[in-house]
Structures are given as structure tokens and as C-alpha cells.
Amino acid sequence: MTSSTLRVGWYGLGSMGLGMSLNLQKHLQSNNLSPLRYSNRSLSKGDILRDEGAISEDNFEALVRNSDVIFTMISIDDVLIELFNKALVAGDSLKGKTFVDTSTIHPDTSKWATSRLGEYGAAFIDAPVFGASSVAAAGKLIFAVAGPVGAVETIKPLIMAMGRSIIDMGEDVQKSSLLKISGNVLVISFMEVIAEAQVFAEVTGIDNQQLEEFLGNMFGPVLESYSKRITTGAYAPPLDTSPGFAAALASKDMKHALSIAASHSARLPTLETALNRLTSAREYAGECLDSSAIYGTARMEAGLSFWSETSRQGNCLFALD
């Protein structure tokens, strides 16, 4: 079966999954291929996909039954395992199908998915992505892809409809998970040290924008963009606005990294600090926080308010004066 004859399905329509699936549907439509089939816990989130010509399925089982390739963007390992277990009930009808997960999952979850799906003749590809939701919407994500060579080659055109490059990680699916987690070690560690630098600037009388200008000129637009999540107040967005990289998800990823490092007698002290600060931020300010909310905790440790002039000034958990 070639990519031109595949029936493609998508499950998981969060801030990342929606942008990715929209680009995939546009690719299928522009090439006169079968429309994307989609499902989600809250099916109404796919209304924009429906308007673009995609076809909804009532649940994951129906999506799997009517698709040859099933993409998932699920942020929690246990939820992904539960979904795959539902698919496994179909038994022999999974033969020849390919499951592609694009989220950040533990290497053990990738290994389990490969083993269990393989028992029924299905292939599993681990293809986590690098990039924020805005990058997903623009179709410029970087994919780290690992899995059976033939299955990977078949779905490459679909992946390139959503991304700008593929890092080939071979056939061992755990390698993709490990690269993604390594990338998140860097992302969160960068955010930790930038938060520390911005608090240092504030308490010593340096303008935040001047430090941000330096970051951009010296280290480029990526680190400057991390700083902007702090200076624009996006670290604590309005309660009706989804954070770019939710604090809960960042905490999950940090715990994965720390546990894997510990199993190899390694330490990640910057990440340990970041996790402690982000945990404190969530306890203080609730869950509507970006991963950069470590900045709010660092502010409090320096005697400042958790909230900056550009962030929201509280939440439903705490009464405002």
C-alpha cells in the first residue's frame, strides 16, 4: 500500500494536534486523496477540520477500524496506552495498520506499543515533534522518527505535510523518545536560566527589554522567544487562554528525564531546580500556567510578586484585593 491509497486517521486535537491535523487534511485534499478521518475526546474541537472536508469518527475504535495509518497526539502516556488497549481488542483486524505517535512519551511506552501492536501485525512509529503550537500551525515542525523502515518510508510524505525536516532515528523507537526528552531537557533548562537572568536584571535595576535585546543579538531568536514568554506575561496567561507549553506537561516531561537520568546514575541539577520551581508555581497559581512559570517562583524567591505587570494578576484559586 502506498501513501496515495492510504486512509489516514488522527486522534488528539489539542493546541498541537489541531494545527498538525489541519495541515495534513490540506495536504490530502490538495492531492485528491481520501480525506482525513479524526476523533477526539471532545469531538467538537474538530469542527474546523470538518469544515475543511475531514470526516469525524465517534471514537478511537471506529477511527482505527476505518484507517490504515493512525496518528496520535496524546500528552499523557497512560491515556495513550488505554487507547491502544482499546484498539488491541480488534485483534487480527489490526494487521497491516500503522500507528504513529507524535507526542512526548516515555521510551518504555514506545517499546510497549511496538511489542503489543506487533503481536497483531500492526506497526508502531514513534515520531515526536519539536516546535510550539504556532510552529505546528505553520507546518514547520521537526520530527524525530523511528520505526520499521518500510512503514516509515510510506508515511514520510504525510509527515512532511506537517513539518520541515525529519531526523531519522533508525528502527529502535526508544531512540526517538530519548531524543525528544533530551530536547526538552534543553528547552526547560534554557527557560530556567533565562528566568534567573530576568529576575537578576529586575532586582539589580536592568531593564528586562534590554536583557531580552541582548539575548536576541547574542544567542538568536529562539532564546529571545523564550524570554518573551516571560516579559509578555505569557508565563501566566489569562484563564481563558491555553498556555504554549503547559506547566503540567512540562512537569511530566521533566519527571521522565530525571527518572531516566537516575537509572543511568546521572544527574540533571538544572532540571531539578526547574521542576521544583514549576511545582511551586502550580501549587501557588493553579494549572493555567506555561512552563516558563518557573519565572514566577524565581520572582517570589527574590521577594517580588509571582505576577508581573504584564501577566494576569491572580486566578480563581485566590481572591484579589
Side-chain angles (χ1 to χ4, degrees):
M1 187 174 291
T2 66
S3 60
S4 63
T5 59
L6 292 175
R7 299 171 300 165
V8 184
W10 188 282
Y11 192 94
L13 298 175
S15 59
M16 292 291 292
L18 188 56
M20 294 169 70
S21 57
L22 276 168
N23 285 323
L24 189 51
Q25 165 58 13
K26 290 174 182 177
H27 164 78
L28 295 171
Q29 187 175 56
S30 65
N31 287 279
N32 296 314
L33 303 177
S34 297
L36 183 71
R37 296 176 180 274
Y38 69 91
S39 191
N40 192 63
R41 185 175 60 180
S42 299
L43 201 56
S44 61
K45 287 189 175 182
D47 287 352
I48 188 171
L49 272 172
R50 179 200 61 202
D51 294 342
E52 291 290 334
I55 300 172
S56 67
E57 298 285 1
D58 290 337
N59 51 50
F60 187 68
E61 298 93 312
L63 182 72
V64 171
R65 185 168 55 251
N66 294 315
S67 304
D68 302 306
V69 175
I70 303 94
F71 284 89
T72 51
M73 172 53 89
I74 303 297
S75 58
I76 305 298
D77 291 54
D78 287 346
V79 175
L80 182 66
I81 291 171
E82 180 183 352
L83 286 171
F84 282 178
N85 276 328
K86 289 180 179 179
L88 290 170
V89 174
D92 291 342
S93 64
L94 295 183
K95 187 174 182 179
K97 294 183 185 293
T98 299
F99 292 77
V100 188
D101 186 64
T102 60
S103 56
T104 306
I105 56 177
H106 195 283
D108 290 348
T109 303
S110 296
K111 183 178 179 180
W112 173 88
T114 296
S115 176
R116 291 291 287 134
L117 291 168
E119 292 175 13
Y120 295 91
F124 176 71
I125 295 172
D126 191 32
V129 299
F130 296 93
S133 55
S134 58
V135 181
K140 300 296 184 182
L141 294 166
I142 299 170
F143 285 75
V145 179
V149 173
V152 169
E153 286 300 316
T154 299
I155 68 159
K156 272 186 177 179
L158 302 175
I159 288 178
M160 290 310 298
M162 301 178 281
R164 59 186 172 92
S165 65
I166 294 173
I167 302 173
D168 186 350
M169 299 300 295
E171 294 197 73
D172 184 353
V173 292
Q174 295 183 94
K175 298 299 184 183
S176 282
S177 295
L178 287 168
L179 182 65
K180 173 58 177 175
I181 291 170
S182 298
N184 281 353
V185 170
L186 289 170
V187 169
I188 296 167
S189 296
F190 286 146
M191 188 59 69
E192 169 63 34
V193 296
I194 291 171
E196 291 179 7
Q198 285 289 16
V199 170
F200 178 80
E202 289 175 79
V203 298
T204 58
I206 298 173
D207 185 76
N208 290 123
Q209 296 300 326
Q210 291 174 321
L211 176 58
E212 193 165 279
E213 183 179 358
F214 162 75
L215 280 168
N217 289 335
M218 185 70 180
F219 301 111
V222 173
L223 294 193
E224 184 180 18
S225 72
Y226 292 168
S227 178
K228 287 185 182 297
R229 285 156 68 182
I230 289 171
T231 59
T232 62
Y235 74 93
L239 293 174
D240 59 354
T241 301
S242 298
F245 183 13
L249 297 184
S251 297
K252 181 262 294 184
D253 292 351
M254 283 189 275
K255 289 175 181 177
H256 280 348
L258 290 168
S259 67
I260 293 168
S263 71
H264 290 81
S265 301
R267 277 197 63 205
L268 304 171
T270 303
L271 211 65
E272 291 171 4
T273 300
L275 178 58
N276 288 335
R277 282 180 166 156
L278 196 55
T279 299
S280 296
R282 294 167 66 192
E283 291 172 351
Y284 179 79
E287 292 296 351
C288 188
L289 294 172
D290 185 71
S291 59
S292 53
I294 52 180
Y295 167 70
T297 301
R299 282 175 60 88
M300 290 199 298
E301 291 171 357
L304 304 172
S305 168
F306 181 91
W307 319 103
S308 71
E309 292 182 358
T310 55
S311 76
R312 72 168 190 266
Q313 298 301 303
N315 59 36
C316 58
L317 300 179
F318 300 94
L320 298 178
D321 293 334

